[in-house]
Amino acid sequence: AIRDNQIKKMLSKYKNLAATKKDVLDVLDNYRGLSYSLQKFVFNDGNSKELFNLIGTIPVVYKNNTYHIPIIIWLMDTHPDNAPLCFVDPTPTMQIKVSMYVDHNGKIYLPYLHDWQPQSSDLLGLIQVMVVTFGDFPPVYSKPKESAAPYPTSQSFMPTPNAGPNPYSVYPGMTHGMPQPPQPFESFIPYPARVGYPGGGSSVNPMSNTPYPPSQFNSFPSSNQTGTITEEHIKLSLISAVEDKLKRRIQERVNQYQAEIQTLKRTKQELNEGRQKVDTIIASLERDQTEMQRCISVLQDKQQELEKSLEKLEEADSFDVDEAVITTAPLYRQLLNAYAEEAAIEDAIYYLGEALRANVIDLESFLKHVRQLSRKQFMFRATMQKCRQKAGLAG
């Protein structure tokens, strides 16, 4: 109850409080590694707003091991009408792994977010999609650490007292100005080992059993069996260390460029889809324009016809309304006259009703005139029906 009241208070300014609260509670009940807070979020345009967020870790299975990935989910004040903003929140010992789903700022891009539907999408489904996606494409990895120098310090490799003078006897301390060999870094681990994140617990590194390349000292050529470190040994060791470091750097660049290529491909696909939509809209507008031009042409023709008719009417001396409509046969003339009479009676009955409502005539006069007009209207309608049957007209 205390948690519900706290969440309700934090969401008091949200548009859909009930739906957002239910969404948040469903997530907190299923993912104990997440907590909630109300913090200020700064948008790209510099504006800031107090937004509710879920922060913590979610369990992700990668190569049969469970890891806790740190994330933070910001809910917009119009949730669930608008999709939330999701970020990977790495610890100081982690580094973001750029991919088609996570950019270098840690922002998460998922089809579920892109196709967010207020009626069917929710936070619980979003996190489940994250768990599945991050299981295939880990969003973070451990930062490289300095490892011990790959040079032996055991006395078995040092010259024996009876081996005679050795110009490299000061090698272990390098106190006489000889250049130090580069210290190789640990290879990049493709998935983090989270320790100490709130709610996260510890996890196992899937690459922890990967051995570092074995030392090359056992394969160095030697002219004797005394174990003396010669200049050739040092040279080969430096070459090996530089080669390993270059390989790691090259592999890091390759992975980075591959992720950028995937991002560019995705952007290209979105641009192509947008281009198709724009082409479709342009084609629709062109069709509408053609149809509009045709309608304009028809209207201009009709306008010219009306102007000609008006000119003829103005030139005529007089105009007989009864001669405005000329029928081709006496039967049609009878039908036209019956229709005109019937329409006139209909209007007369209407105005009689209006007169009765305004107390202009009494009820007895109203009934008398309506009865007479109704008889005439019946006869005209019967005449119209017989004329239509005789002329072979429909209905």
Side-chain angles (χ1 to χ4, degrees), residues 235-289:
K235 180 179 179 181
L236 291 176
S237 177
L238 291 173
I239 293 174
S240 176
V242 172
E243 182 182 359
D244 291 341
K245 187 173 182 179
L246 288 176
K247 286 182 179 178
R248 286 191 294 273
R249 292 289 178 85
I250 292 173
Q251 185 62 38
E252 178 185 356
R253 291 294 180 88
V254 169
N255 293 337
Q256 179 181 353
Y257 292 151
Q258 286 179 348
E260 293 178 356
I261 290 173
Q262 292 296 330
T263 302
L264 292 175
K265 287 183 178 179
R266 183 181 62 187
T267 304
K268 179 182 178 181
Q269 182 180 359
E270 292 177 355
L271 290 175
N272 288 333
E273 292 176 355
R275 180 180 179 181
Q276 292 178 358
K277 292 180 180 179
V278 171
D279 292 341
T280 302
I281 294 173
I282 291 175
S284 177
L285 291 175
E286 290 177 349
R287 290 194 299 269
D288 293 342
Q289 183 180 8

Short mmCIF file of all heavy atoms in Angstrom, two decimals, residues 235-289:
data_model
loop_
_atom_site.label_atom_id
_atom_site.label_comp_id
_atom_site.label_asym_id
_atom_site.label_seq_id
_atom_site.Cartn_x
_atom_site.Cartn_y
_atom_site.Cartn_z
N LYS A 235 63.66 -9.29 -28.14
CA LYS A 235 63.12 -8.83 -29.40
C LYS A 235 61.84 -9.57 -29.77
O LYS A 235 60.83 -8.98 -30.15
CB LYS A 235 64.18 -8.99 -30.48
CG LYS A 235 63.74 -8.54 -31.87
CD LYS A 235 64.84 -8.71 -32.88
CE LYS A 235 64.38 -8.28 -34.27
NZ LYS A 235 65.43 -8.47 -35.29
N LEU A 236 61.90 -10.90 -29.63
CA LEU A 236 60.70 -11.71 -29.95
C LEU A 236 59.55 -11.40 -29.00
O LEU A 236 58.38 -11.39 -29.39
CB LEU A 236 61.05 -13.19 -29.89
CG LEU A 236 61.99 -13.71 -30.99
CD1 LEU A 236 62.34 -15.17 -30.75
CD2 LEU A 236 61.36 -13.55 -32.36
N SER A 237 59.89 -11.15 -27.72
CA SER A 237 58.84 -10.82 -26.76
C SER A 237 58.16 -9.50 -27.11
O SER A 237 56.93 -9.38 -27.06
CB SER A 237 59.45 -10.74 -25.36
OG SER A 237 58.46 -10.36 -24.43
N LEU A 238 58.97 -8.50 -27.48
CA LEU A 238 58.39 -7.21 -27.87
C LEU A 238 57.52 -7.35 -29.11
O LEU A 238 56.44 -6.78 -29.19
CB LEU A 238 59.51 -6.19 -28.12
CG LEU A 238 60.30 -5.73 -26.88
CD1 LEU A 238 61.47 -4.87 -27.31
CD2 LEU A 238 59.40 -4.96 -25.94
N ILE A 239 58.00 -8.10 -30.08
CA ILE A 239 57.22 -8.31 -31.31
C ILE A 239 55.89 -8.99 -30.99
O ILE A 239 54.83 -8.62 -31.50
CB ILE A 239 58.03 -9.13 -32.33
CG1 ILE A 239 59.23 -8.30 -32.82
CG2 ILE A 239 57.16 -9.55 -33.50
CD1 ILE A 239 60.17 -9.08 -33.72
N SER A 240 55.95 -10.00 -30.12
CA SER A 240 54.73 -10.73 -29.76
C SER A 240 53.74 -9.82 -29.04
O SER A 240 52.53 -9.82 -29.32
CB SER A 240 55.08 -11.92 -28.87
OG SER A 240 53.91 -12.58 -28.45
N ALA A 241 54.25 -8.99 -28.10
CA ALA A 241 53.35 -8.10 -27.36
C ALA A 241 52.72 -7.07 -28.28
O ALA A 241 51.51 -6.78 -28.21
CB ALA A 241 54.13 -7.41 -26.24
N VAL A 242 53.52 -6.48 -29.17
CA VAL A 242 52.99 -5.49 -30.11
C VAL A 242 51.98 -6.14 -31.05
O VAL A 242 50.93 -5.56 -31.37
CB VAL A 242 54.13 -4.84 -30.90
CG1 VAL A 242 53.58 -3.96 -32.02
CG2 VAL A 242 55.01 -4.01 -29.97
N GLU A 243 52.26 -7.33 -31.49
CA GLU A 243 51.34 -8.03 -32.40
C GLU A 243 50.00 -8.31 -31.73
O GLU A 243 48.94 -8.09 -32.32
CB GLU A 243 51.99 -9.35 -32.84
CG GLU A 243 51.13 -10.15 -33.82
CD GLU A 243 51.78 -11.46 -34.20
OE1 GLU A 243 52.89 -11.73 -33.73
OE2 GLU A 243 51.16 -12.21 -34.99
N ASP A 244 50.05 -8.77 -30.47
CA ASP A 244 48.80 -9.03 -29.74
C ASP A 244 48.01 -7.75 -29.55
O ASP A 244 46.78 -7.72 -29.71
CB ASP A 244 49.10 -9.66 -28.39
CG ASP A 244 49.63 -11.08 -28.51
OD1 ASP A 244 49.43 -11.67 -29.59
OD2 ASP A 244 50.24 -11.57 -27.55
N LYS A 245 48.70 -6.67 -29.20
CA LYS A 245 48.01 -5.40 -28.98
C LYS A 245 47.38 -4.89 -30.27
O LYS A 245 46.23 -4.41 -30.28
CB LYS A 245 49.00 -4.37 -28.43
CG LYS A 245 48.34 -3.06 -28.01
CD LYS A 245 49.32 -2.16 -27.31
CE LYS A 245 48.63 -0.87 -26.85
NZ LYS A 245 49.57 0.03 -26.15
N LEU A 246 48.10 -5.00 -31.38
CA LEU A 246 47.55 -4.57 -32.67
C LEU A 246 46.34 -5.41 -33.06
O LEU A 246 45.35 -4.88 -33.59
CB LEU A 246 48.64 -4.65 -33.75
CG LEU A 246 49.74 -3.60 -33.67
CD1 LEU A 246 50.80 -3.88 -34.74
CD2 LEU A 246 49.17 -2.20 -33.87
N LYS A 247 46.42 -6.70 -32.81
CA LYS A 247 45.28 -7.57 -33.14
C LYS A 247 44.03 -7.15 -32.36
O LYS A 247 42.93 -7.09 -32.90
CB LYS A 247 45.62 -9.03 -32.86
CG LYS A 247 46.57 -9.65 -33.86
CD LYS A 247 46.82 -11.11 -33.52
CE LYS A 247 47.75 -11.76 -34.54
NZ LYS A 247 48.04 -13.17 -34.20
N ARG A 248 44.22 -6.86 -31.07
CA ARG A 248 43.08 -6.46 -30.27
C ARG A 248 42.51 -5.12 -30.73
O ARG A 248 41.30 -4.94 -30.80
CB ARG A 248 43.48 -6.39 -28.79
CG ARG A 248 43.67 -7.75 -28.14
CD ARG A 248 43.79 -7.60 -26.64
NE ARG A 248 45.00 -6.88 -26.26
CZ ARG A 248 46.19 -7.45 -26.07
NH1 ARG A 248 46.32 -8.76 -26.23
NH2 ARG A 248 47.24 -6.74 -25.71
N ARG A 249 43.42 -4.17 -31.03
CA ARG A 249 42.95 -2.88 -31.50
C ARG A 249 42.22 -3.01 -32.83
O ARG A 249 41.18 -2.37 -33.06
CB ARG A 249 44.14 -1.92 -31.64
CG ARG A 249 44.77 -1.54 -30.31
CD ARG A 249 43.85 -0.63 -29.52
NE ARG A 249 44.42 -0.30 -28.22
CZ ARG A 249 45.27 0.70 -28.02
NH1 ARG A 249 45.67 1.44 -29.03
NH2 ARG A 249 45.73 0.96 -26.80
N ILE A 250 42.76 -3.81 -33.73
CA ILE A 250 42.12 -4.01 -35.03
C ILE A 250 40.74 -4.66 -34.86
O ILE A 250 39.76 -4.26 -35.50
CB ILE A 250 43.01 -4.85 -35.96
CG1 ILE A 250 44.27 -4.04 -36.34
CG2 ILE A 250 42.26 -5.27 -37.22
CD1 ILE A 250 45.29 -4.84 -37.10
N GLN A 251 40.68 -5.68 -33.97
CA GLN A 251 39.40 -6.34 -33.76
C GLN A 251 38.37 -5.38 -33.16
O GLN A 251 37.19 -5.40 -33.51
CB GLN A 251 39.59 -7.55 -32.83
CG GLN A 251 38.34 -8.40 -32.64
CD GLN A 251 37.86 -9.00 -33.94
OE1 GLN A 251 38.67 -9.41 -34.76
NE2 GLN A 251 36.55 -9.06 -34.13
N GLU A 252 38.84 -4.51 -32.26
CA GLU A 252 37.94 -3.51 -31.67
C GLU A 252 37.41 -2.57 -32.75
O GLU A 252 36.21 -2.27 -32.79
CB GLU A 252 38.70 -2.73 -30.61
CG GLU A 252 37.88 -1.62 -29.96
CD GLU A 252 38.70 -0.80 -29.00
OE1 GLU A 252 39.89 -1.14 -28.79
OE2 GLU A 252 38.17 0.20 -28.48
N ARG A 253 38.30 -2.09 -33.62
CA ARG A 253 37.86 -1.21 -34.70
C ARG A 253 36.90 -1.92 -35.65
O ARG A 253 35.90 -1.34 -36.10
CB ARG A 253 39.08 -0.69 -35.47
CG ARG A 253 39.94 0.27 -34.67
CD ARG A 253 39.18 1.54 -34.39
NE ARG A 253 39.97 2.51 -33.63
CZ ARG A 253 40.76 3.41 -34.17
NH1 ARG A 253 40.87 3.47 -35.49
NH2 ARG A 253 41.44 4.25 -33.42
N VAL A 254 37.20 -3.17 -35.97
CA VAL A 254 36.33 -3.94 -36.87
C VAL A 254 34.93 -4.06 -36.28
O VAL A 254 33.92 -3.85 -36.96
CB VAL A 254 36.93 -5.32 -37.16
CG1 VAL A 254 35.91 -6.21 -37.87
CG2 VAL A 254 38.18 -5.19 -38.03
N ASN A 255 34.86 -4.39 -34.98
CA ASN A 255 33.55 -4.52 -34.34
C ASN A 255 32.80 -3.18 -34.33
O ASN A 255 31.60 -3.12 -34.57
CB ASN A 255 33.73 -5.01 -32.90
CG ASN A 255 34.24 -6.43 -32.84
OD1 ASN A 255 34.08 -7.21 -33.78
ND2 ASN A 255 34.89 -6.79 -31.74
N GLN A 256 33.54 -2.12 -34.07
CA GLN A 256 32.92 -0.79 -34.06
C GLN A 256 32.38 -0.42 -35.43
O GLN A 256 31.24 0.06 -35.57
CB GLN A 256 33.94 0.25 -33.59
CG GLN A 256 33.39 1.68 -33.56
CD GLN A 256 34.44 2.68 -33.11
OE1 GLN A 256 35.53 2.29 -32.72
NE2 GLN A 256 34.11 3.95 -33.20
N TYR A 257 33.21 -0.65 -36.47
CA TYR A 257 32.77 -0.30 -37.82
C TYR A 257 31.62 -1.18 -38.28
O TYR A 257 30.73 -0.73 -39.01
CB TYR A 257 33.95 -0.41 -38.78
CG TYR A 257 35.01 0.64 -38.56
CD1 TYR A 257 36.35 0.38 -38.87
CD2 TYR A 257 34.69 1.87 -38.02
CE1 TYR A 257 37.33 1.33 -38.64
CE2 TYR A 257 35.66 2.82 -37.78
CZ TYR A 257 36.98 2.56 -38.09
OH TYR A 257 37.93 3.51 -37.88
N GLN A 258 31.62 -2.45 -37.87
CA GLN A 258 30.50 -3.33 -38.23
C GLN A 258 29.20 -2.83 -37.61
O GLN A 258 28.15 -2.84 -38.26
CB GLN A 258 30.80 -4.76 -37.79
CG GLN A 258 31.82 -5.48 -38.65
CD GLN A 258 32.09 -6.89 -38.16
OE1 GLN A 258 31.70 -7.25 -37.05
NE2 GLN A 258 32.78 -7.68 -38.97
N ALA A 259 29.29 -2.38 -36.35
CA ALA A 259 28.09 -1.83 -35.71
C ALA A 259 27.62 -0.57 -36.42
O ALA A 259 26.41 -0.36 -36.64
CB ALA A 259 28.37 -1.54 -34.24
N GLU A 260 28.57 0.28 -36.81
CA GLU A 260 28.19 1.50 -37.54
C GLU A 260 27.59 1.16 -38.90
O GLU A 260 26.64 1.82 -39.34
CB GLU A 260 29.42 2.39 -37.71
CG GLU A 260 29.94 2.97 -36.39
CD GLU A 260 31.18 3.81 -36.59
OE1 GLU A 260 31.68 3.86 -37.74
OE2 GLU A 260 31.66 4.41 -35.60
N ILE A 261 28.14 0.14 -39.55
CA ILE A 261 27.58 -0.28 -40.84
C ILE A 261 26.14 -0.77 -40.67
O ILE A 261 25.26 -0.45 -41.48
CB ILE A 261 28.47 -1.37 -41.47
CG1 ILE A 261 29.81 -0.76 -41.93
CG2 ILE A 261 27.76 -2.04 -42.65
CD1 ILE A 261 30.80 -1.81 -42.40
N GLN A 262 25.90 -1.55 -39.61
CA GLN A 262 24.54 -2.02 -39.36
C GLN A 262 23.59 -0.85 -39.12
O GLN A 262 22.46 -0.83 -39.60
CB GLN A 262 24.53 -2.97 -38.15
CG GLN A 262 25.24 -4.29 -38.38
CD GLN A 262 24.57 -5.13 -39.45
OE1 GLN A 262 23.36 -5.06 -39.65
NE2 GLN A 262 25.36 -5.93 -40.15
N THR A 263 24.08 0.15 -38.36
CA THR A 263 23.25 1.33 -38.10
C THR A 263 22.96 2.08 -39.41
O THR A 263 21.83 2.51 -39.66
CB THR A 263 23.95 2.26 -37.11
OG1 THR A 263 24.21 1.54 -35.90
CG2 THR A 263 23.07 3.47 -36.80
N LEU A 264 23.98 2.21 -40.26
CA LEU A 264 23.79 2.90 -41.54
C LEU A 264 22.83 2.12 -42.44
O LEU A 264 22.01 2.71 -43.15
CB LEU A 264 25.13 3.10 -42.23
CG LEU A 264 26.09 4.09 -41.56
CD1 LEU A 264 27.44 4.10 -42.27
CD2 LEU A 264 25.50 5.49 -41.57
N LYS A 265 22.94 0.79 -42.42
CA LYS A 265 22.02 -0.02 -43.22
C LYS A 265 20.59 0.16 -42.75
O LYS A 265 19.66 0.25 -43.56
CB LYS A 265 22.42 -1.49 -43.14
CG LYS A 265 23.69 -1.85 -43.94
CD LYS A 265 23.97 -3.33 -43.86
CE LYS A 265 25.20 -3.70 -44.70
NZ LYS A 265 25.51 -5.15 -44.61
N ARG A 266 20.43 0.19 -41.42
CA ARG A 266 19.08 0.38 -40.89
C ARG A 266 18.54 1.76 -41.29
O ARG A 266 17.37 1.90 -41.67
CB ARG A 266 19.10 0.24 -39.37
CG ARG A 266 17.72 0.36 -38.72
CD ARG A 266 17.82 0.23 -37.24
NE ARG A 266 18.65 1.29 -36.68
CZ ARG A 266 19.02 1.34 -35.40
NH1 ARG A 266 18.66 0.40 -34.57
NH2 ARG A 266 19.76 2.35 -34.97
N THR A 267 19.42 2.77 -41.20
CA THR A 267 18.99 4.12 -41.60
C THR A 267 18.65 4.16 -43.08
O THR A 267 17.66 4.79 -43.50
CB THR A 267 20.12 5.12 -41.30
OG1 THR A 267 20.46 5.05 -39.91
CG2 THR A 267 19.68 6.54 -41.64
N LYS A 268 19.45 3.46 -43.90
CA LYS A 268 19.17 3.41 -45.33
C LYS A 268 17.81 2.76 -45.60
O LYS A 268 17.04 3.24 -46.44
CB LYS A 268 20.28 2.64 -46.04
CG LYS A 268 20.08 2.51 -47.55
CD LYS A 268 21.18 1.68 -48.18
CE LYS A 268 20.93 1.50 -49.69
NZ LYS A 268 21.99 0.67 -50.31
N GLN A 269 17.55 1.67 -44.89
CA GLN A 269 16.26 0.99 -45.07
C GLN A 269 15.09 1.91 -44.70
O GLN A 269 14.09 1.98 -45.41
CB GLN A 269 16.22 -0.28 -44.22
CG GLN A 269 14.94 -1.09 -44.36
CD GLN A 269 14.96 -2.34 -43.50
OE1 GLN A 269 15.93 -2.61 -42.81
NE2 GLN A 269 13.88 -3.09 -43.54
N GLU A 270 15.25 2.64 -43.57
CA GLU A 270 14.19 3.55 -43.16
C GLU A 270 14.01 4.68 -44.18
O GLU A 270 12.88 5.08 -44.48
CB GLU A 270 14.53 4.13 -41.79
CG GLU A 270 14.48 3.09 -40.67
CD GLU A 270 14.90 3.69 -39.34
OE1 GLU A 270 15.32 4.87 -39.33
OE2 GLU A 270 14.82 2.98 -38.32
N LEU A 271 15.13 5.17 -44.72
CA LEU A 271 15.03 6.22 -45.73
C LEU A 271 14.35 5.71 -47.00
O LEU A 271 13.55 6.42 -47.63
CB LEU A 271 16.42 6.76 -46.06
CG LEU A 271 17.09 7.59 -44.94
CD1 LEU A 271 18.51 7.95 -45.34
CD2 LEU A 271 16.29 8.85 -44.66
N ASN A 272 14.68 4.47 -47.39
CA ASN A 272 14.03 3.90 -48.58
C ASN A 272 12.53 3.73 -48.36
O ASN A 272 11.73 4.00 -49.26
CB ASN A 272 14.67 2.55 -48.92
CG ASN A 272 16.07 2.71 -49.50
OD1 ASN A 272 16.41 3.74 -50.09
ND2 ASN A 272 16.91 1.70 -49.32
N GLU A 273 12.17 3.27 -47.16
CA GLU A 273 10.74 3.14 -46.86
C GLU A 273 10.06 4.51 -46.88
O GLU A 273 8.95 4.66 -47.40
CB GLU A 273 10.56 2.47 -45.50
CG GLU A 273 11.01 1.01 -45.48
CD GLU A 273 10.91 0.41 -44.09
OE1 GLU A 273 10.58 1.16 -43.15
OE2 GLU A 273 11.17 -0.81 -43.94
N GLY A 274 10.74 5.50 -46.30
CA GLY A 274 10.18 6.85 -46.33
C GLY A 274 10.05 7.38 -47.75
O GLY A 274 9.07 8.07 -48.08
N ARG A 275 11.05 7.05 -48.58
CA ARG A 275 10.99 7.50 -49.97
C ARG A 275 9.79 6.88 -50.69
O ARG A 275 9.10 7.55 -51.47
CB ARG A 275 12.28 7.12 -50.68
CG ARG A 275 12.34 7.54 -52.14
CD ARG A 275 13.64 7.12 -52.78
NE ARG A 275 13.68 7.49 -54.19
CZ ARG A 275 14.69 7.23 -54.99
NH1 ARG A 275 15.77 6.61 -54.53
NH2 ARG A 275 14.66 7.60 -56.26
N GLN A 276 9.55 5.60 -50.44
CA GLN A 276 8.39 4.95 -51.06
C GLN A 276 7.09 5.61 -50.62
O GLN A 276 6.18 5.83 -51.43
CB GLN A 276 8.39 3.46 -50.70
CG GLN A 276 9.55 2.68 -51.32
CD GLN A 276 9.55 1.23 -50.90
OE1 GLN A 276 8.71 0.80 -50.09
NE2 GLN A 276 10.50 0.45 -51.41
N LYS A 277 7.01 5.95 -49.32
CA LYS A 277 5.80 6.62 -48.84
C LYS A 277 5.63 7.98 -49.50
O LYS A 277 4.53 8.36 -49.90
CB LYS A 277 5.86 6.76 -47.32
CG LYS A 277 5.78 5.44 -46.57
CD LYS A 277 5.84 5.67 -45.07
CE LYS A 277 5.76 4.35 -44.31
NZ LYS A 277 5.84 4.55 -42.85
N VAL A 278 6.75 8.71 -49.62
CA VAL A 278 6.68 10.03 -50.25
C VAL A 278 6.28 9.90 -51.71
O VAL A 278 5.46 10.69 -52.22
CB VAL A 278 8.04 10.75 -50.11
CG1 VAL A 278 8.06 12.01 -50.94
CG2 VAL A 278 8.31 11.09 -48.65
N ASP A 279 6.85 8.90 -52.42
CA ASP A 279 6.47 8.70 -53.82
C ASP A 279 4.99 8.37 -53.95
O ASP A 279 4.31 8.85 -54.88
CB ASP A 279 7.32 7.57 -54.42
CG ASP A 279 8.79 7.97 -54.57
OD1 ASP A 279 9.07 9.18 -54.56
OD2 ASP A 279 9.64 7.06 -54.69
N THR A 280 4.49 7.55 -53.01
CA THR A 280 3.06 7.21 -53.05
C THR A 280 2.19 8.46 -52.83
O THR A 280 1.19 8.66 -53.52
CB THR A 280 2.75 6.17 -51.96
OG1 THR A 280 3.57 5.01 -52.17
CG2 THR A 280 1.29 5.77 -52.01
N ILE A 281 2.60 9.30 -51.88
CA ILE A 281 1.84 10.52 -51.61
C ILE A 281 1.87 11.45 -52.82
O ILE A 281 0.86 12.05 -53.21
CB ILE A 281 2.40 11.22 -50.36
CG1 ILE A 281 2.14 10.34 -49.12
CG2 ILE A 281 1.78 12.59 -50.18
CD1 ILE A 281 2.81 10.87 -47.87
N ILE A 282 3.07 11.57 -53.46
CA ILE A 282 3.18 12.44 -54.64
C ILE A 282 2.30 11.93 -55.76
O ILE A 282 1.61 12.71 -56.45
CB ILE A 282 4.66 12.52 -55.08
CG1 ILE A 282 5.47 13.30 -54.04
CG2 ILE A 282 4.77 13.20 -56.44
CD1 ILE A 282 6.95 13.32 -54.33
N ALA A 283 2.31 10.59 -55.98
CA ALA A 283 1.46 10.03 -57.04
C ALA A 283 -0.02 10.29 -56.75
O ALA A 283 -0.79 10.62 -57.66
CB ALA A 283 1.72 8.52 -57.16
N SER A 284 -0.42 10.15 -55.47
CA SER A 284 -1.81 10.42 -55.10
C SER A 284 -2.17 11.89 -55.35
O SER A 284 -3.25 12.20 -55.86
CB SER A 284 -2.04 10.05 -53.64
OG SER A 284 -3.34 10.36 -53.23
N LEU A 285 -1.25 12.80 -55.01
CA LEU A 285 -1.49 14.22 -55.23
C LEU A 285 -1.60 14.54 -56.72
O LEU A 285 -2.43 15.36 -57.14
CB LEU A 285 -0.38 15.05 -54.60
CG LEU A 285 -0.33 15.06 -53.06
CD1 LEU A 285 0.89 15.80 -52.58
CD2 LEU A 285 -1.60 15.70 -52.51
N GLU A 286 -0.77 13.87 -57.54
CA GLU A 286 -0.85 14.10 -58.99
C GLU A 286 -2.19 13.62 -59.55
O GLU A 286 -2.78 14.28 -60.41
CB GLU A 286 0.31 13.37 -59.67
CG GLU A 286 1.67 14.02 -59.40
CD GLU A 286 2.80 13.24 -60.03
OE1 GLU A 286 2.54 12.11 -60.51
OE2 GLU A 286 3.94 13.74 -60.07
N ARG A 287 -2.67 12.46 -59.05
CA ARG A 287 -3.99 11.99 -59.49
C ARG A 287 -5.08 12.97 -59.08
O ARG A 287 -5.99 13.27 -59.86
CB ARG A 287 -4.27 10.60 -58.91
CG ARG A 287 -3.41 9.49 -59.51
CD ARG A 287 -3.97 8.13 -59.16
NE ARG A 287 -3.97 7.92 -57.71
CZ ARG A 287 -2.98 7.37 -57.04
NH1 ARG A 287 -1.88 6.98 -57.69
NH2 ARG A 287 -3.04 7.20 -55.73
N ASP A 288 -4.98 13.45 -57.83
CA ASP A 288 -5.98 14.42 -57.37
C ASP A 288 -5.92 15.70 -58.20
O ASP A 288 -6.96 16.30 -58.51
CB ASP A 288 -5.74 14.74 -55.89
CG ASP A 288 -6.01 13.54 -55.00
OD1 ASP A 288 -6.68 12.61 -55.47
OD2 ASP A 288 -5.53 13.54 -53.84
N GLN A 289 -4.72 16.12 -58.57
CA GLN A 289 -4.58 17.33 -59.37
C GLN A 289 -5.20 17.14 -60.76
O GLN A 289 -5.89 18.03 -61.27
CB GLN A 289 -3.10 17.70 -59.49
CG GLN A 289 -2.86 19.00 -60.25
CD GLN A 289 -1.38 19.34 -60.35
OE1 GLN A 289 -0.54 18.52 -59.99
NE2 GLN A 289 -1.07 20.52 -60.83
#
